[in-house]
Amino acid sequence: MSPGRILLHGGDLVDGTGAERRRADVWVEDGRISAVTEVRPDIASDTASGTDAHRLDVSESVVFPGFIDVHAHDDLALLRPGGVEPKVMQGVTVDVVGNCGHGCAPVATDPRMQASYSGPVLGRFPETLPWQSFPEYLDQLSTTGLRTNAVALVPHGALRASITGYARRPLDTRELARATRDLDEALARGAAGLSLGLMYAPGDVADQAELVALARVVAAHDGILAAHIRSEGDDIIGSLRELLDIARRSEVRVQLSHLKVVSPRNRGRMPEILALLDAARSEGIDITADVYPYPAGSTTAAALFPGWTLSDGVPGLLASLETPAERARIITSMYQPWQQKENNFQALGAHGILLAGFQQPDNASYEGARLSEVAEKRGIDAAECLCQLMTEERGELTVVMFQMHEDDVATALSWPWSLIGSDGLPVQSPYTHPRMYGTFARVLSEYVRKRGLLTLEEATRRMTALPAERFRIPGRGVIRAGAAADLVVASPERIEDHATFAAPRHFPKHVRAVLVNGEFATLDGIATENTAGALLPIERSTI
């Protein structure tokens, strides 16, 4: 559906800059905002000011810039029919993919290993991928009509796996030279930066020299380093200091991934974390963060196992689980604290972990169940139960973990330098974390309207103009003449997030329309078939 010239008439405007809400008409033509004008009551038909225009009366709504999801895992979902509908239906018009070091490009030395490890995060991999390098993946995005726009980070884990697989050691001199060369090429071809997943194999074994060398390449391109730190629990301060030292030594701009503090014993530590981040900013370190507005996280179940079990990826873990002595060693380790990396199984207990992604018919009833419930049904210890399920499902399980306290989530959202990211997992299983469907609606309904934690204007800025600035996405995130026509029409007084932990796959209510590059991606709450999205160019600073 491409109506040509569009008039969004009679509504309020929250333009993304933080300016106060005001009444205005928004004109769209050729994919861009052609004018923002004073509301004219005399405009009352589909023919406006002498030119044909599709007129949409939005007098009961607010027009926002399209929301930018700075922490997405839609690397494959962008290319899959219907894969990003949960994002589009809540108003996301730009997806930043490649986060947490997980990715589908570059392709690992053993593609099956990459698919088994990252599949529970990115969704099921196809049998073959039509690219090998990261620039080839960018080419695929740029030549495919997308439902939403895309910005891509180079995933450190995938970059490493394309060179040395899942080896449990730092890169040697030759391998690091190749990694920096491949990263440099990807950034030159349009990648926005590099993402680290220091909790995940194989990035968790990278040493400081490797990380600083790669960060310097990113800095040379004025890119951004997005980082999932090693520990978000007991060792969070040490892990943050490691990241800040990388930034200090490389002068790279940093985006801290999903700012949070996990495990019940760390409840209330968010002010301490923000004090460290504020001190870093005062020192001159350019760091911001993203936050998802929920007390639970989600990831691959393989992350619940100690890192040394993943030297050969998930197949290696499965082989160890099928060896009685190794299985006993693993289970013993799961009940003990780990150094640096947070042991979420030990910290949360089986009751705090939900399971999803089951493929075996006999296990289908466990979808969305707590690990403690499944263990009780089977009459076995929870760690042994998890090992059984991983073996039966060949490692392709996703977990939802109730890690955080709501007070810490709210404190993180209140930090002036926090952006909004869903961290949603586009898995095809019946159950998934509700953040895939509800993140942006939840910010507006829960933290703006109900709690008053953020003003509508400030929340919008955190979801639009600020992320466009941080990720160097020109012409996005604001409503002004000449900007791209990525727009959302919604009612902030009525918008509701209907995705819950009990029933996550529900779209929000009262998002009336979404425009991507001037074309309706949704209209009257119904998805269209438009594929006007594109891989977006990145603007490099000349300073």
Side-chain angles (χ1 to χ4, degrees):
M1 179 180 182
S2 180
R5 196 174 192 208
I6 300 169
L7 168 62
L8 304 179
H9 172 61
D12 283 355
L13 183 72
V14 178
D15 68 8
T17 67
E20 288 188 9
R21 174 175 176 172
R22 68 187 192 276
R23 185 63 58 89
D25 283 343
V26 180
W27 295 84
V28 173
E29 193 167 7
D30 296 329
R32 309 199 78 79
I33 298 167
S34 58
V36 179
T37 62
E38 181 181 350
V39 172
R40 291 180 51 193
D42 59 305
I43 297 177
S45 70
D46 287 351
T47 301
S49 297
T51 61
D52 290 337
H54 178 100
R55 176 187 176 275
L56 188 66
D57 186 340
V58 297
S59 55
E60 299 295 321
S61 302
V62 172
V63 182
F64 301 91
F67 304 141
I68 299 175
D69 187 350
V70 298
H71 194 112
H73 291 290
D74 298 323
D75 310 49
L76 289 167
L78 282 164
L79 301 168
R80 189 172 67 238
V84 293
E85 289 311 288
K87 298 293 183 65
V88 174
M89 294 296 287
Q90 59 180 303
V92 171
T93 60
V94 179
D95 241 1
V96 181
V97 300
N99 282 283
C100 294
H102 282 283
C104 55
V107 176
T109 55
D110 184 343
R112 294 171 302 170
M113 197 175 293
Q114 185 176 22
S116 63
Y117 189 69
S118 290
V121 174
L122 305 183
R124 189 172 294 277
F125 279 54
E127 286 297 320
T128 58
L129 294 169
W131 57 78
Q132 285 291 320
S133 69
F134 199 82
E136 289 171 342
Y137 170 68
L138 294 178
D139 288 342
Q140 186 75 31
L141 291 177
S142 66
T143 57
T144 303
L146 308 175
R147 287 286 286 149
T148 187
N149 296 305
V151 168
L153 300 166
V154 180
H156 175 236
L159 178 66
R160 244 182 162 269
S162 71
I163 296 169
T164 189
Y166 286 76
R168 305 298 299 164
R169 59 172 176 77
L171 298 180
D172 63 28
T173 302
R174 179 185 59 81
E175 292 164 340
L176 182 56
R178 179 180 163 188
T180 56
R181 182 180 69 248
D182 290 353
L183 176 60
D184 181 75
E185 181 185 7
L187 291 163
R189 290 284 297 276
L194 174 73
S195 82
L196 303 178
L198 299 180
M199 189 188 90
Y200 299 112
D204 61 333
V205 294
D207 60 15
Q208 191 80 335
E210 175 184 331
L211 298 174
V212 170
L214 293 171
R216 284 174 174 159
V217 176
V218 177
H221 286 267
D222 188 36
I224 195 162
L225 180 70
H228 180 150
I229 55 178
R230 294 187 195 275
S231 172
E232 296 168 326
D234 294 351
D235 193 39
I236 189 168
I237 296 300
S239 296
L240 282 171
R241 285 177 174 154
E242 177 189 34
L243 176 61
L244 294 174
D245 189 53
I246 293 168
R248 195 176 287 115
R249 293 172 61 186
S250 65
E251 299 186 340
V252 73
R253 298 183 301 114
V254 177
Q255 176 74 10
L256 174 61
S257 295
H258 36 59
L259 170 60
K260 61 179 181 282
V261 59
V262 306
S263 93
R265 60 177 171 259
N266 290 305
R267 174 181 173 179
R269 292 186 67 187
M270 187 54 66
E272 173 190 3
I273 294 161
L274 296 184
L276 180 61
L277 296 177
D278 283 334
R281 288 189 60 84
S282 296
E283 178 191 335
I285 294 174
D286 188 357
I287 185 167
T288 53
D290 55 71
V291 181
Y292 52 80
Y294 297 88
S298 185
T299 190
T300 170
L304 294 175
F305 292 86
W308 51 263
T309 65
L310 294 160
S311 58
D312 292 317
V314 171
L317 168 63
L318 296 177
S320 295
L321 292 176
E322 291 166 356
T323 304
E326 283 295 287
R327 189 181 186 119
R329 180 187 172 203
I330 290 169
I331 290 174
T332 297
S333 176
M334 291 173 68
Y335 283 105
Q336 299 171 345
W338 298 336
Q339 288 187 337
Q340 290 189 317
K341 179 181 175 181
E342 188 72 11
N343 182 345
N344 282 304
F345 176 86
Q346 186 262 345
L348 304 178
H351 185 71
I353 300 170
L354 274 64
L355 302 164
F358 293 96
Q359 300 296 314
Q360 299 304 313
D362 289 347
N363 294 336
S365 63
Y366 301 151
E367 191 75 24
R370 294 182 184 268
L371 176 59
S372 57
E373 296 169 345
V374 181
E376 184 177 356
K377 286 181 180 179
R378 292 193 170 198
I380 56 176
D381 170 77
E384 172 62 30
C385 181
L386 181 61
C387 293
Q388 280 187 9
L389 295 173
M390 286 290 282
T391 301
E392 291 164 9
E393 297 292 334
R394 308 313 299 163
E396 296 187 24
L397 283 179
T398 301
V399 290
V400 173
M401 302 178 291
F402 288 87
Q403 302 169 290
M404 294 86 76
H405 190 273
E406 179 59 45
D407 290 348
D408 285 318
V409 175
T411 302
L413 283 166
S414 70
W415 191 49
W417 297 102
S418 64
L419 290 63
I420 306 303
S422 72
D423 200 10
L425 307 188
V427 293
Q428 293 101 317
S429 57
Y431 190 86
T432 189
H433 193 301
R435 63 193 182 186
M436 183 69 188
Y437 282 73
T439 291
F440 293 85
R442 181 171 171 79
V443 169
L444 295 175
S445 63
E446 183 70 19
Y447 293 96
V448 173
R449 187 175 71 241
K450 296 178 184 177
R451 301 191 186 198
L453 182 73
L454 300 169
T455 66
L456 179 63
E457 292 82 359
E458 177 61 10
T460 302
R461 188 181 74 87
R462 306 272 198 93
M463 299 190 293
T464 58
L466 183 56
E469 175 189 334
R470 289 299 291 164
F471 285 81
R472 301 288 196 254
I473 312 169
R476 310 278 163 170
V478 294
I479 298 178
R480 63 172 176 239
D486 288 353
L487 299 166
V488 180
V489 179
S491 172
E493 289 77 24
R494 295 188 296 162
I495 192 169
E496 290 290 346
D497 161 28
H498 282 264
T500 67
F501 286 103
R505 292 192 181 274
H506 289 283
F507 298 129
K509 298 293 185 182
H510 304 296
V511 178
R512 183 176 174 191
V514 179
L515 283 81
V516 175
N517 293 319
E519 297 189 19
F520 285 109
T522 78
L523 183 58
D524 294 325
I526 300 172
T528 71
E529 297 182 356
N530 281 341
T531 53
L535 177 69
L536 298 182
I538 300 301
E539 189 173 62
R540 308 298 186 187
S541 173
T542 57
I543 297 175

